[in-house]
Amino acid sequence: MITLLSHLSYVAITAPDVEKSVKFYEEHVGLDVVDRVGEDVYLRCWGDYYRYSVVVKPGSEPSLATMAWRTTSAEALDEAVCRIEAKGIAGEWVDLQAFGKGYTFVGPWGHSMTLHWDVEHYRAEANASIYPDRPGRRSRHLGAPRQLDHVTIAASDVDAFAAWYNEVLGFRIMARTVLDEAPLSVFSVLTTNEKSHDLGVVLDGSTRAGRVNHYAFWVDTREDLLQAADVLMENGTPMEYGPSIHGIGEQNFLYFREPSSLRIEMNTGGYRNYVPDWEPNTWKPSLGSNNFYRNSAMPMSMTESFPAADGPSATEEGVPDEIRDALLNPYAQHGRG
Ligand SMILES: [Fe+2]
């Protein structure tokens, strides 16, 4: 298969109070608003190469409206659409704000994905950088992310989700986490490029399809990450988890919530992997898949995905008691998170 996708280009999220969320992104994270169209607000990190990377839309609950990948060419977009429709999925062509045409479809686990080749390359006018490769001047906001990094969704079958996106769109499957207690996949990472992942998937124990666990920004250095944590803490945003290092991918991470309650991650570091026939390794939480140092426990709140789940948990039904706790939070035991 030719390489179809190049990288995650933007995420569109919903928020019950768009202006409250936008104010948070501007004042606490360090993003800039570039466009307002109706009630939708388009934002960017200072180093994003295209016009926007985050869209905040009105919605009754926090959720992922769509996650967008740029294809490698116009031809790759057509090929991707053929491959999606050959799987019996009918998407639609849409006009994307400032970019051009895109193709949006809902995948087998209920997640909207938008593919596009057209973009608007960003070049700041009033705030131009003194360095030619930068789309705009570095932010004055301490710890402001340079660019969008990845998105992690929730699906009821982690391995089947990874296999579908690998087969249809060519995502490389980089690693997976299986419970210590039972051969059940709870996490996997996929990538379209040299990063360990630009798409993650966590096991969703609910009956609600199409949920998201978090999306992530990138900062240049661990010092930037620690300064971001400091600035957020000093200004009223608690650290939900981290700063620490993931075993899988080896990224430094921190997690916090935006006003809608949606979880945001910041990353830096991590390995680069160019191996085209990489065979994904299977980790267990006890090996440090989530926490490289194997010296803490992940808070239960981290298992919340968005929107909130309704009704009983599908995967809890019929699950033996001894793995029920591990299913709810595979990293709850000290040393695993
Ligand atoms: Fe992540």
Side-chain angles (χ1 to χ4, degrees), residues 3 14 19 31 50 52 64 116 192 195 208 212 249 301 336:
T3 302
T14 62
E19 291 309 320
L31 270 57
Y50 310 141
Y52 55 87
L64 180 69
H116 63 105
T192 56
K195 294 191 303 190
R208 198 163 183 182
V212 62
S301 66
R336 294 185 182 180

Side-chain angles (χ1 to χ4, degrees), residues 149-152 187 197 200 213-216 246 253 255 265 267:
D149 189 67
H150 69 266
V151 59
T152 293
F187 180 60
H197 66 301
N213 187 266
H214 64 269
Y215 76 94
H246 289 310
F253 67 83
Y255 296 88
E265 182 182 9
N267 274 174

Side-chain angles (χ1 to χ4, degrees), residues 214 238-241 246 253-256 263-265 302:
H214 64 269
M239 291 296 99
E240 184 179 17
Y241 183 38
H246 289 310
F253 67 83
L254 63 80
Y255 296 88
F256 58 96
R263 179 176 304 104
I264 309 297
E265 182 182 9
M302 285 288 297

Side-chain angles (χ1 to χ4, degrees), residues 35-279:
D35 290 312
R36 289 176 176 270
V37 180
E39 293 182 85
D40 298 349
V41 182
Y42 294 75
L43 300 110
R44 65 189 315 285
C45 305
W46 67 267
D48 283 317
Y49 294 110
Y50 310 141
R51 185 169 182 83
Y52 55 87
S53 61
V54 175
V55 188
V56 185
K57 305 164 78 72
S60 58
E61 301 173 290
S63 72
L64 180 69
T66 199
M67 48 184 173
W69 266 262
R70 191 175 187 209
T71 60
T72 56
S73 65
E75 296 73 25
L77 175 58
D78 291 337
E79 173 66 15
V81 171
C82 284
R83 296 180 64 86
I84 291 160
E85 296 192 343
K87 283 289 184 182
I89 290 176
E92 60 175 341
W93 290 97
V94 292
D95 287 324
L96 305 176
Q97 162 65 12
F99 285 178
K101 74 172 183 177
Y103 180 84
T104 296
F105 70 98
V106 176
W109 285 269
H111 305 89
S112 170
M113 180 179 269
T114 300
L115 306 179
H116 63 105
W117 167 246
D118 294 346
V119 289
E120 180 185 313
H121 291 267
Y122 188 79
R123 184 56 65 181
E125 292 167 7
N127 210 21
S129 173
I130 60 171
Y131 302 111
D133 286 348
R134 288 185 178 178
R137 195 178 301 168
R138 179 180 282 276
S139 173
R140 289 192 180 94
H141 183 109
L142 193 64
R146 187 180 192 113
Q147 59 202 125
L148 180 67
D149 189 67
H150 69 266
V151 59
T152 293
I153 60 82
S156 58
D157 188 331
V158 166
D159 289 342
F161 178 96
W164 194 92
Y165 285 83
N166 167 258
E167 180 196 340
V168 178
L169 292 172
F171 281 87
R172 284 190 299 153
I173 304 171
M174 303 306 289
R176 64 204 275 264
T177 302
V178 167
L179 291 181
D180 285 88
E181 292 81 1
L184 182 65
S185 290
V186 293
F187 180 60
S188 188
V189 282
L190 301 94
T191 191
T192 56
N193 50 50
E194 83 285 358
K195 294 191 303 190
S196 71
H197 66 301
D198 56 8
L199 177 60
V201 50
V202 298
L203 181 66
D204 194 342
S206 84
T207 57
R208 198 163 183 182
R211 299 204 299 155
V212 62
N213 187 266
H214 64 269
Y215 76 94
F217 296 110
W218 178 262
V219 292
D220 285 348
T221 66
R222 184 161 59 174
E223 286 67 31
D224 288 334
L225 190 85
L226 299 177
Q227 285 172 340
D230 190 328
V231 169
L232 286 162
M233 291 289 292
E234 281 276 36
N235 290 281
T237 301
M239 291 296 99
E240 184 179 17
Y241 183 38
S244 187
I245 303 179
H246 289 310
I248 289 180
E250 299 181 24
Q251 297 102 336
N252 297 262
F253 67 83
L254 63 80
Y255 296 88
F256 58 96
R257 304 292 191 98
E258 65 117 297
S260 74
S261 82
L262 187 69
R263 179 176 304 104
I264 309 297
E265 182 182 9
M266 281 200 201
N267 274 174
T268 189
Y271 57 65
R272 295 179 181 198
N273 180 312
Y274 306 89
V275 181
D277 56 353
W278 176 256
E279 288 292 329

